[in-house]
Every structure is written in structure tokens, then in C-alpha cells.
Amino acid sequence: QEAHAAEMERTFIAIKPDGVQRALISEIISRFERKGFKLVAIKIVIPSKGFAEKHYHDLKERPFFNGLCDFLSSGPVLAMVWEGEGVIKYGRKLIGATDPQKSEPGTIRGDLAVVVGRNIIHGSDGPETAKDEINLWFKPEELVSYTSNTEKWVY
Ligand code: RTP
């Protein structure tokens, strides 16, 4: 059971300052929770600008990089780690396309956001990014390992 938990796929999900300010935390968490994914770490933080730049280092050449980092560090962010079979890819599916104008209805951004600069949520885009982002935002001891009873019904 322990080994099973250690091997399970994990992703980093963050509700950005717009999602927190708009009181969408419970709405967003409930979508991951109802799907059957398991919450293994959570905290609310106001990242510094430097921290935001680290998080978005891949985008540093993009024209919107500075504004994006200002935005991410402008208020509380809800940082989470979610665990489960296929959670990285399916998490992105729950979130929807980057530009809310292109996200399908039924997705988080499709249902709840309008413009790309205020798209309320972030999710890791692959296994390497997931690992890096979890390590950036969380200390190992902030992640909990537990057996959820629902797992035997949904996995
Ligand atoms: P995220 O990392 O936040 O989950 O978003 P993503 O992978 O879907 O999109 P990515 O291309 O990595 O962009 C990261 C975030 O940058 C903002 N963005 N602004 N044209 C723009 O103004 C623009 N393009 C992207 C978005 O907030 C996007 O989520």
C-alpha cells in the first residue's frame, strides 16, 4: 500500500490570485475531488515576484512574462498537489485550454474565466514540470501519504 502511494502520479495545481479573490476555491477543488483525485498537499501563499519568475522561468522570453509574474505575486495563491492515475493529463483536461475563449464549456476555464491573463488556475503540463513545480512550491514533509477509501471504488 505504501509503495503504491509512493508511485502514484502527482501534479501541481494552483488557483491564481484572480480565482482566490473571486471565491472559486471550493468550486475548483470540488471538481478535482469529485473526479476521484486525491489532495495530498495544500497551502495558501502570496508568492514574491522572484518566486513567480522561478515558477514561470520557461516563459521568460515571452512578452507577457513580466505582467504574468506581477499578477501571480499580486495576492494569495492556493497551491496544491493532487494525486491519481493520469492526474497530470486529466487535470489539464479539467482545467481547459489556456485561453478561456477557447476552453470548452464544462472545463474550469470554460465555465469560469473569460481572458487569458485572468485564467484562474495553473496545472503542470507534464511529468517533469510536475516534479519541478511540486519541489519548488512544497517541502517533501508538506506532502501527505494516506489511503483514501474512495480509491477502491474509482480506480
Ligand atoms: P498554466 O501554465 O498557467 O497552466 O497555463 P498554460 O500551461 O495553459 O499556458 P502557458 O502557455 O504555460 O502560459 C502560462 C500562463 O501565462 C499566461 N498567458 N498570458 N498572451 C498572453 O497574455 C498570455 N499567454 C499566456 C496565462 O495566464 C497562462 O496560463
Side-chain angles (χ1 to χ4, degrees):
Q1 204 126 24
E2 282 301 311
H4 169 79
E7 285 161 19
M8 190 53 80
E9 184 175 322
R10 287 173 171 170
T11 193
F12 174 71
I13 301 290
I15 304 179
K16 298 180 188 179
D18 52 343
V20 174
Q21 295 294 348
R22 289 178 55 203
L24 294 173
I25 290 174
S26 58
E27 166 73 36
I28 291 168
I29 286 182
S30 78
R31 293 182 183 217
F32 280 84
E33 199 178 32
R34 285 180 297 169
K35 171 70 178 170
F37 294 134
K38 189 207 278 184
L39 183 61
V40 296
I42 186 167
K43 64 182 170 187
I44 188 158
V45 288
I46 303 179
S48 66
K49 175 98 184 266
F51 189 91
E53 288 168 352
K54 265 188 207 161
H55 172 77
Y56 279 128
H57 68 274
D58 279 350
L59 300 173
K60 63 173 177 288
E61 307 303 335
R62 310 294 289 274
F64 55 83
F65 178 71
N66 190 54
L68 178 62
C69 295
D70 275 336
F71 168 60
L72 193 73
S73 57
S74 70
V77 170
L78 192 80
M80 297 176 280
V81 179
W82 284 87
E83 187 177 281
E85 186 79 37
V87 70
I88 299 173
K89 210 167 169 196
Y90 206 90
R92 300 274 294 180
K93 220 166 174 169
L94 288 176
I95 290 170
T98 306
D99 180 355
Q101 296 288 341
K102 296 181 181 132
S103 338
E104 295 297 325
T107 64
I108 291 166
R109 286 169 175 159
D111 289 347
L112 306 170
V114 178
V115 294
V116 70
R118 296 289 182 271
N119 63 2
I120 68 173
I121 183 167
H122 164 85
S124 307
D125 61 10
E128 284 311 309
T129 337
K131 217 166 282 168
D132 291 349
E133 291 175 350
I134 291 168
N135 287 335
L136 176 66
W137 287 81
F138 288 97
K139 300 183 190 115
E141 63 269 27
E142 290 177 310
L143 276 74
V144 297
S145 183
Y146 65 102
T147 304
S148 132
N149 285 330
T150 58
E151 274 179 13
K152 56 176 179 257
W153 307 114
V154 294
Y155 292 152

